[in-house]
Amino acid sequence: MASVIDRIRESMQYVKSSQGRMEKFNAMIARVGLACKNHPSLDVPTRWNSTYLMLESSLPFRAAFEALKETDKDYKSAPSASEWEMAEAICHLLGAFYTATKKISGRTYPTSHMYFYEVWNVKQIKEKEVISENPTIVAMVKEMEEKWMKYFEESFLTSSFGGGAEKYLTKVNSAMKILFAEYSSKYENTSDEGDEVAEEDVPAEAAFSNAGRIITTQRSSLTPSTVETLMCLEDWFRAADRQKAESTVGDRVDDQNDAGKT
């Protein structure tokens, strides 16, 4: 991939090397009818995510670089058509890693629940690209796979891809049932009507909207276990208040019935 990346990097350096070249490049942008607000960015060669951003930002300007090649005899580093196509293929592959890395590395929001989804998404893209018609992409993916498995095998996610998955799923299912039984025994409604009200008053979506109120900007450093504790505690308080309110209404009805009898 070095030749493709080097040519695009050199093209960026060329148009940014002087005011005159930048003006000529802007003229080519206008000539081909591009409406891009920002110019492509130059990367830091030792950082793959920076290189990815350079490739991603350069692709919309492909027509402008091709027009510059036709009008500027000093522009020697223009990528060929096949190299532009290669850059697009690289971007598609690296984009999955970039997105996953950025989401999982977030510091102002919980990330543990995102981990499996992002890792699985990267895995699916690699499986798709490993049968690509482009031999260079195939070689790149296979080399990625060797490093990938080194870390992936140390993760609990290996249970999801082998014969041992069933015992883990059984444990999780059992733990969820025990947790639900313990929770429901403390706040059990005695009537069918109460069960229906509970389902309507506490929908699943409430947990997510509630999290937004707990994990504020000022409290973004809370650990996942602390957030979970706060959410459960607040839910228990609401359940206790609801039971108290239902008991009060029941007492009033009983008093009214007694008064009617007298």
Side-chain angles (χ1 to χ4, degrees):
M1 298 299 176
S3 61
V4 177
I5 295 172
D6 287 344
R7 280 188 171 277
I8 292 179
R9 182 182 295 124
E10 290 167 6
S11 295
M12 301 295 183
Q13 293 171 340
Y14 180 81
V15 298
K16 292 176 180 289
S17 62
S18 70
Q19 183 65 29
R21 288 176 177 174
M22 180 60 74
E23 290 176 356
K24 187 177 291 187
F25 183 60
N26 288 335
M28 295 302 104
I29 293 175
R31 175 181 168 181
V32 297
L34 294 177
C36 302
K37 295 182 180 180
N38 300 319
H39 285 91
S41 60
L42 193 59
D43 73 327
V44 178
T46 55
R47 295 177 57 188
W48 73 266
N49 57 333
S50 175
T51 300
Y52 161 72
L53 292 174
M54 178 188 73
L55 295 175
E56 182 192 43
S57 65
S58 68
L59 288 174
F61 293 89
R62 173 179 174 175
F65 280 112
E66 290 174 342
L68 183 65
K69 178 183 177 181
E70 296 174 359
T71 59
D72 188 348
K73 58 182 178 58
D74 295 326
Y75 177 39
K76 307 291 186 182
S77 55
S80 65
S82 61
E83 286 173 329
W84 278 115
E85 292 172 4
M86 182 69 73
E88 190 171 354
I90 297 171
C91 262
H92 177 68
L93 186 57
L94 293 183
F97 285 92
Y98 179 81
T99 300
T101 301
K102 191 171 182 179
K103 287 185 177 180
I104 295 174
S105 301
R107 297 182 179 181
T108 59
Y109 51 86
T111 58
S112 57
H113 64 291
M114 300 179 180
Y115 182 71
F116 181 85
Y117 173 80
E118 295 301 333
V119 169
W120 184 266
N121 186 47
V122 170
K123 179 179 181 295
Q124 286 185 311
I125 290 177
K126 289 198 294 91
E127 289 178 347
K128 180 180 178 181
E129 294 297 335
V130 80
I131 57 174
S132 168
E133 295 180 357
N134 189 321
T136 308
I137 292 293
V138 172
M140 183 178 180
V141 172
K142 287 183 176 179
E143 193 168 334
M144 284 180 171
E145 189 69 17
E146 293 180 9
K147 293 186 177 181
W148 171 270
M149 291 307 298
K150 174 184 176 182
Y151 301 102
F152 194 70
E153 288 176 354
E154 297 176 0
S155 168
F156 71 94
L157 294 178
T158 52
S159 62
S160 300
F161 304 97
E166 186 175 350
K167 67 177 182 179
Y168 291 99
L169 292 175
T170 302
K171 287 183 178 180
V172 172
N173 187 43
S174 176
M176 292 296 291
K177 287 183 177 179
I178 293 172
L179 181 62
F180 178 78
E182 181 182 350
Y183 183 83
S184 60
S185 65
K186 293 182 179 180
Y187 302 101
E188 185 176 10
N189 290 310
T190 57
S191 66
D192 293 336
E193 292 81 2
D195 290 337
E196 293 178 1
V197 171
E199 288 182 2
E200 292 176 359
D201 288 350
V202 190
E205 291 81 358
F208 297 95
S209 60
N210 188 40
R213 295 192 294 271
I214 291 176
I215 310 170
T216 61
T217 304
Q218 292 76 20
R219 304 168 75 181
S220 59
S221 60
L222 294 176
T223 63
S225 60
T226 302
V227 172
E228 181 179 357
T229 301
L230 289 172
M231 292 181 69
C232 288
L233 186 62
E234 186 171 344
D235 195 27
W236 291 339
F237 281 148
R238 285 200 302 267
D241 291 340
R242 185 166 58 249
Q243 280 195 330
K244 183 177 179 180
E246 291 172 354
S247 299
T248 302
V249 172
D251 291 340
R252 289 177 181 174
V253 171
D254 290 340
D255 291 342
Q256 290 174 355
N257 290 337
D258 292 341
K261 292 178 182 178
T262 57

